[in-house]
Amino acid sequence: MLGTLTRYLRFMGYDTTSANGLVEGDPKEDAILLEIAKQEHRLLLTKDAELARRGNTGALLIRSDDVMDQVQQLIDLHRVKRRLTMSRCSLCNTELREANTCEIADAAYAPKDWRNHTFFWCRQCQKLYWNGSHGKQLEERVERGLRE
Ligand SMILES: [Zn+2]
């Protein structure tokens, strides 16, 4: 339900997992979700008012359907800071490390002007990231809170 927000939070460097695969609105699955969040010391973000109520202080009801409003809600509540980091893979949440020259050279999609970039690598996805790799527009949206 909050897949886009999940990716944005990872762009912002936050350790974010997603409950994809669990059935929405199923009380048994809701209980599992709350238990996982509690055990992993995670704040549960949801658009389901009933689930948010059951989660009490461990859950947060996300009000808007617009991802920039969702990010703004978390900023207003002092849960996140508006920033963009290259510390996590936006696809799988794995922590990135600096890429080595072989990894950069093997990625056909990498920019050719190496000196102007810092490169990072996701071991899990075998994917190369660099400042600008998410696209200038997206980076500006996250950093300045721009709407589409
Ligand atoms: Zn990854």
Side-chain angles (χ1 to χ4, degrees):
M1 236 186 324
L2 292 170
T4 308
L5 180 60
T6 301
R7 280 188 300 120
Y8 274 52
L9 289 173
R10 289 174 184 159
F11 290 143
M12 295 167 78
Y14 294 99
D15 177 4
T16 313
T17 59
S18 127
N20 276 348
L22 292 180
V23 180
E24 245 172 71
D26 177 329
K28 224 185 275 171
E29 303 232 317
D30 282 358
I32 294 170
L33 206 52
L34 289 167
E35 188 53 35
I36 294 171
K38 198 172 151 193
Q39 278 181 8
E40 298 185 0
H41 305 287
R42 294 178 182 281
L43 178 67
L44 182 70
L45 305 177
T46 179
K47 293 218 66 180
D48 180 336
E50 172 61 18
L51 178 58
R53 195 193 56 73
R54 286 181 64 190
N56 199 3
T57 55
L60 184 66
L61 181 64
I62 297 294
R63 297 178 192 286
S64 177
D65 286 323
D66 180 279
V67 70
M68 291 319 299
D69 288 337
Q70 295 170 349
V71 169
Q72 190 60 50
Q73 185 187 352
L74 295 173
I75 290 169
D76 291 344
L77 294 168
H78 305 289
R79 292 295 187 166
V80 300
K81 287 195 172 68
R82 188 181 296 291
R83 61 176 190 179
L84 200 74
T85 68
M86 283 284 153
S87 53
R88 275 181 197 281
C89 176
S90 57
L91 300 175
C92 75
N93 197 45
T94 297
E95 280 189 70
L96 301 179
R97 61 157 169 77
E98 270 198 49
N100 62 42
T101 45
C102 290
E103 289 157 352
I104 303 169
D106 284 350
Y109 52 90
K112 300 297 164 227
D113 51 337
W114 288 20
R115 271 180 219 157
N116 297 327
H117 294 92
T118 312
F119 293 91
F120 300 92
W121 183 252
C122 175
R123 282 166 286 131
Q124 194 69 34
C125 303
Q126 307 276 295
K127 187 172 153 48
L128 190 71
Y129 287 92
W130 60 93
N131 43 319
S133 60
H134 295 316
K136 259 213 149 30
Q137 249 189 336
L138 176 59
E139 295 187 2
E140 277 184 11
R141 284 190 75 195
V142 174
E143 285 183 322
R144 298 198 208 146
L146 304 175
R147 285 180 176 74
E148 263 176 326

